[in-house]
Amino acid sequence: MSDNNSAQNPVNLRLPDGSVRTFDGPVTGTTLASDIGPGLLKAALAIRVNGDVWDLSREIIADADVAIITKNDEEEALDILRHDCAHVMAEAVQELFPGTQVTIGPNIEDGFFYDFARDKPFTEEDLAVIEARMHEIVKRNEDITREEWDRDEAIKHFASIGEKYKAEIIRDLPESDTITVYRQGEWKDLCRGPHLPSTGKLGDAFKLMKVAGAYWRGDSKNEMLTRIYGTCWRDKKELRAYLHRLEEAAKRDHRKLGKEMGLFHLQEEAQGSVFWHPQGYKVWLELEKYIRGRLGDSGYSEIKTPQLLDSKLWEQSGHWSKFRENMFVVPDETPNTEEDAPVISGTAKLMALKPMNCPAHVQVFKQGIKSYRDLPIRFAEFGCCHRNEAHGALHGLMRVRQMTQDDGHIFCREDQVTEESVAFCELLASVYSDLGFPEFKVLLATRPDVRAGTDEIWDKAEAALEQALRSRGIDFEYAPGEGAFYGPKLEFHLSDAIGRTWQCGTLQTDFVLPERLDATYVGEDGTKYRPVMLHRAILGTLERFLGIMIEHYAGRLPLWLAPTQAVVTPITSDADDYAIRVHAALEAAGMRASLDLRNEKINYKVREHSHAKVPAIVVVGQREAENEQVSIRRIGSKDQTVLGLSEAISALSKEGRMPGA
RNA sequence: GCUGCCGUGGCUCAGGGGUAGAGCACCCCCUUGGUAAGGGGGAGGUCGGGAGUUCGAAUCUCCCCGGCAGCACCA
């Protein structure tokens, strides 16, 4: 191709429709757009050049495949708009609050943020002021231009204006990188780009959302910066839709629903541990019963292991040195009962609440002598674990300090790993589908830099997991280096009703713990071998999974899980006797039914039970009583169905049956 | 743990230097009403905890605790 420096060479640009436009020399996206038409020029945001997104003002000096990017190109448009929005925000901040240093301001899902260094953090009130100034900057329609700078000049420039973070960023950029600075009116920022041609193109579909602290370079050892989050869309309608989505998500918040539905509560005397109420615990028990049944059918034996274990065991397992800071330690002594004396001597032998069940499961495995014929041995436990999570990490049911895992460990021979993994994947997919999560994503987390075991073992382990996925036709992605130090793992991320994903299931291979805790079995040749240990969970923890379920179903749990499946209530007290009969019949059919005989209007009672998210409101009046019928109103519906009593009961109890039961 | 905001009856929230308010829920009475709030009356809190400023603090200051949003963490 032609010499880049030869400005006289013609430049041929091929458009997405295949047509080619030829220019005498270097040409900008703006020129191309205006050449095609004034409408496109007006709509143009950026240009795609051989697959890369460029500024419209950047000269294209050689033949290329190009496409003008407009708001119709959703993904690219949002990227550019959000990134520009971050810059406009930074300009507004520096105009309003001189002396504030800028650091980084990337796009994120649904918006952007920018981290600033400032003595005094921003407050929510500042946001309105900054946002108003942003709108002004958009109105000013400042030109945005790209400049390539010499690296040292750039460092010197940013250092001289007191932007030490920017200078540090440039210093750390690879030597091969071109340093680009974008000028936006009077304001300049180091940036890779691309950007809009001018601030006017940003429009007004943005909003600053919240302020927060964030560590410089994401490291808690560094100073904390003040971060402003914003959202930005292609038009007002999209912005409104997004804000509406946030409101809808907030309505599903399991902490709010948990309170409204009387499922559980948390209080400061037991931070991070849940008080389950009668209604909530009914859901818990149903879910536990379901999982117990599935595990039993899949060849697991349920066990129960101690809560408190000697620190010696944790030393052996390796947790004592690595994870002690997250463990609750308990001295094994009689507390001092004298007043004014320390309760604890400080010299006692230490025990710890288990943060996980694996070492205890190995102890059970080690009882007696195991033959290769015994393998695989599959232990399951609804293991109650404690982890001393940082206070700031606690969040409703989603992140707790006392959790119950649907834990399980499979002890098997190396040649059984694939087979066991396949079986686990099948079980997990079936459980997720039963629970209303047919879609999930799988990640294969491979060997980290710091790891135990030889490369040969890792090769085998990774291959075994991969083979299991492939043989079931399960799509997956790699998460390189994300494996545990003791072995590779599969992570199962399910998608909920509003598109969020949650990592719940996991399958981890482990060659280290059987070694450390000296688990063995006798092989065919009569000598001892190490079993492979597979750690696995489907729900992860019951607490968190119930939180996810509550949000997924917005509190309207499927009939089989709902704490109260049906409430029977009469229109007037004339039908009380019949209502009592209906209620008794539902309970006799094994349903969790309640009876509401209060002297309240039917409107009132329907409203209240709807708020309580009872799946079926069974209303009976004179008419129903005379005809041996019931009127059923299902949650979410404004209509009701009148059915014969026995017909209604068999339909409800059939629907209310646990999956697979 | 870090930064910011918040902490008022069971719940949701208003108030804001002179010794607490509303709605819902609760209790009582009236109402017997056909599918999302019928009416009246009553009881209930000393304002997260502690210290300070003040004649006087729920209201101002400081410390602690907790909650929320992020960050960091998540074996």
Side-chain angles (χ1 to χ4, degrees):
Chain A
M1 198 44 239
S2 59
D3 177 0
N4 281 352
N5 293 327
S6 166
Q8 303 315 315
N9 283 355
V11 172
N12 300 302
L13 300 182
R14 190 160 61 165
L15 298 168
D17 65 1
S19 67
V20 175
R21 286 184 185 241
T22 304
F23 295 85
D24 293 340
V27 59
T28 65
T30 308
T31 309
L32 172 67
S34 108
D35 195 49
I36 297 172
L40 185 62
L41 177 63
K42 197 163 165 233
L45 301 178
I47 182 167
R48 181 179 289 286
V49 179
N50 292 332
D52 295 327
V53 179
W54 283 23
D55 308 285
L56 285 171
S57 61
R58 189 163 163 191
E59 284 197 325
I60 303 162
I61 55 178
D63 293 358
D65 286 334
V66 298
I68 300 285
I69 292 169
T70 68
K71 285 192 178 177
N72 290 329
D73 303 291
E74 182 169 3
E75 202 178 318
E76 293 88 343
L78 284 176
D79 276 351
I80 297 169
L81 289 169
R82 285 169 183 167
H83 194 191
D84 270 68
C85 205
H87 275 231
V88 169
M89 176 168 83
E91 183 180 355
V93 163
Q94 292 202 311
E95 278 185 10
L96 289 163
F97 307 95
T100 304
Q101 293 185 64
V102 291
T103 67
I104 56 160
N107 286 351
I108 51 171
E109 194 177 357
D110 299 329
F112 61 91
F113 66 74
Y114 212 115
D115 285 348
F116 301 98
R118 185 180 180 231
D119 299 341
K120 197 168 158 279
F122 294 107
T123 64
E124 303 281 341
E125 290 83 73
D126 294 331
L127 293 189
V129 180
I130 295 167
E131 203 175 295
R133 180 61 64 95
M134 288 170 70
H135 285 293
E136 274 177 44
I137 293 170
V138 170
K139 267 202 207 93
R140 283 187 221 150
N141 197 17
E142 294 169 352
D143 283 336
I144 302 173
T145 49
R146 177 179 186 274
E147 295 171 5
E148 293 188 7
W149 282 30
D150 172 73
R151 178 186 201 87
D152 295 330
E153 286 298 312
I155 295 173
K156 208 185 292 171
H157 167 77
F158 283 104
S160 75
I161 58 171
E163 295 282 4
K164 65 169 192 156
Y165 294 94
K166 281 289 173 193
E168 187 178 329
I169 292 169
I170 301 169
R171 225 173 274 128
D172 290 351
L173 283 174
E175 288 289 342
S176 56
D177 277 23
T178 306
I179 307 298
T180 54
V181 169
Y182 279 78
R183 200 181 281 274
Q184 177 173 303
E186 296 297 303
W187 187 78
K188 291 197 274 298
D189 193 12
L190 168 80
C191 185
R192 191 177 293 125
H195 279 285
L196 297 170
S198 67
T199 58
K201 292 230 177 183
L202 180 57
D204 59 358
F206 58 82
K207 182 172 165 57
L208 299 187
M209 304 299 286
K210 56 196 169 200
V211 290
Y215 297 108
W216 166 236
R217 300 206 146 161
D219 188 335
S220 60
K221 287 194 222 29
N222 290 341
E223 58 271 40
M224 183 156 271
L225 307 169
T226 170
R227 172 176 296 182
I228 301 181
Y229 283 95
T231 188
C232 175
W233 299 85
R234 290 178 294 175
D235 54 48
K236 283 271 195 191
K237 199 175 146 203
E238 280 189 353
L239 174 62
R240 273 196 301 271
Y242 170 67
L243 296 175
H244 184 250
R245 240 193 305 145
L246 289 185
E247 282 171 29
E248 290 303 307
K251 281 185 198 160
R252 292 171 177 259
D253 191 312
H254 72 281
R255 294 166 299 183
K256 178 175 137 72
L257 289 170
K259 196 179 275 181
E260 285 171 7
M261 296 169 70
L263 302 177
F264 64 89
H265 87 270
L266 296 155
Q267 68 184 52
E268 61 181 279
E269 287 78 3
Q271 268 183 69
S273 300
V274 186
F275 291 81
W276 287 98
H277 297 191
Q279 289 293 84
Y281 200 51
K282 282 179 197 167
V283 185
W284 173 297
L285 288 173
E286 281 304 297
L287 183 61
E288 191 180 89
K289 187 169 160 194
Y290 165 76
I291 293 292
R292 178 171 282 130
R294 297 301 312 261
L295 292 175
D297 293 345
S298 306
Y300 289 80
S301 308
E302 189 172 341
I303 60 176
K304 199 74 183 168
T305 62
Q307 215 60 57
L308 265 180
L309 291 153
D310 197 298
S311 59
K312 272 195 305 202
L313 184 63
W314 302 113
E315 279 162 24
Q316 262 180 44
S317 70
H319 293 102
W320 197 248
S321 56
K322 269 187 107 96
F323 304 113
R324 194 172 40 188
E325 64 187 56
N326 287 311
M327 290 167 70
F328 287 101
V329 173
V330 181
D332 182 13
E333 67 177 5
T334 308
N336 195 330
T337 51
E338 285 167 41
E339 284 198 32
D340 300 329
V343 178
I344 300 303
S345 70
T347 58
K349 183 178 87 167
L350 296 178
M351 304 189 79
L353 288 171
K354 64 177 172 186
M356 50 188 28
N357 308 297
C358 354
H361 285 202
V362 176
Q363 304 312 308
V364 178
F365 175 85
K366 282 172 64 178
Q367 294 301 302
I369 293 175
K370 298 292 182 294
S371 150
Y372 71 97
R373 295 174 198 276
D374 298 324
L375 304 185
I377 288 175
R378 307 183 192 88
F379 289 146
E381 179 174 7
F382 290 98
C384 178
C385 297
H386 289 81
R387 296 182 188 178
N388 195 348
E389 304 284 3
H391 288 77
L394 301 176
H395 181 92
L397 298 177
M398 300 305 190
R399 192 81 181 271
V400 290
R401 303 215 286 188
Q402 179 191 304
M403 66 210 76
T404 305
Q405 303 176 320
D406 62 323
D407 205 1
H409 294 94
I410 300 167
F411 297 86
C412 64
R413 293 181 259 119
E414 258 181 48
D415 62 289
Q416 293 171 318
V417 172
T418 301
E419 193 184 330
E420 287 301 313
S421 302
V422 169
F424 175 73
C425 289
E426 281 179 351
L427 174 61
L428 173 134
S430 160
V431 167
Y432 282 2
S433 157
D434 279 351
L435 296 178
F437 301 96
E439 281 177 35
F440 60 90
K441 223 174 55 187
V442 184
L443 291 182
L444 171 55
T446 58
R447 65 195 78 184
D449 293 338
V450 181
R451 58 178 180 264
T454 63
D455 283 353
E456 192 198 348
I457 285 182
W458 276 89
D459 288 341
K460 264 195 229 167
E462 288 170 1
L465 292 180
E466 190 169 333
Q467 200 188 328
L469 292 169
R470 293 202 190 281
S471 76
R472 299 318 305 158
I474 298 171
D475 283 336
F476 66 95
E477 286 168 33
Y478 291 97
E482 296 289 310
F485 78 94
Y486 49 74
K489 60 183 179 185
L490 296 181
E491 289 178 5
F492 299 86
H493 299 250
L494 53 79
S495 309
D496 74 9
I498 54 175
R500 296 172 300 185
T501 62
W502 303 90
Q503 197 218 308
C504 294
T506 182
L507 173 66
Q508 311 179 3
T509 53
D510 184 352
F511 309 101
V512 174
L513 209 55
E515 178 89 36
R516 284 186 157 251
L517 297 180
D518 193 28
T520 58
Y521 68 89
V522 178
E524 263 179 289
D525 58 4
T527 62
K528 283 187 176 179
Y529 291 90
R530 293 274 174 225
V532 178
M533 193 174 175
L534 301 179
H535 306 249
R536 38 107 297 153
I538 298 174
L539 307 181
T541 75
L542 269 80
E543 286 84 355
R544 179 159 171 275
F545 201 86
L546 285 167
I548 295 168
M549 295 273 273
I550 291 167
E551 301 203 353
H552 177 60
Y553 287 109
R556 294 175 181 181
L557 294 168
L559 195 61
W560 72 274
L561 269 176
T564 298
Q565 297 175 304
V567 57
V568 183
T569 192
I571 305 254
T572 70
S573 54
D574 293 345
D576 279 6
D577 290 343
Y578 183 59
I580 291 167
R581 261 185 62 210
V582 171
H583 174 250
L586 281 166
E587 290 211 311
M591 298 206 68
R592 296 183 293 276
S594 69
L595 181 61
D596 181 1
L597 297 180
R598 289 174 306 167
N599 174 17
E600 294 289 353
K601 286 198 170 177
I602 194 62
N603 286 327
Y604 181 87
K605 291 191 283 193
V606 164
R607 176 184 150 85
E608 204 173 64
H609 295 123
S610 297
H611 279 158
K613 317 245 188 290
V614 179
I617 301 175
V618 180
V619 176
V620 294
Q622 274 305 309
R623 288 206 299 265
E624 286 79 10
E626 280 160 19
N627 301 315
E628 190 83 358
Q629 289 177 322
V630 290
S631 165
I632 299 180
R633 176 180 169 132
R634 299 299 300 262
I635 183 82
S637 163
K638 282 195 188 319
D639 306 320
Q640 58 264 193
T641 320
V642 177
L643 292 174
L645 177 57
S646 56
E647 188 190 348
I649 289 177
S650 73
L652 279 177
S653 58
K654 188 176 167 207
E655 184 191 335
R657 218 173 286 153
M658 181 175 283

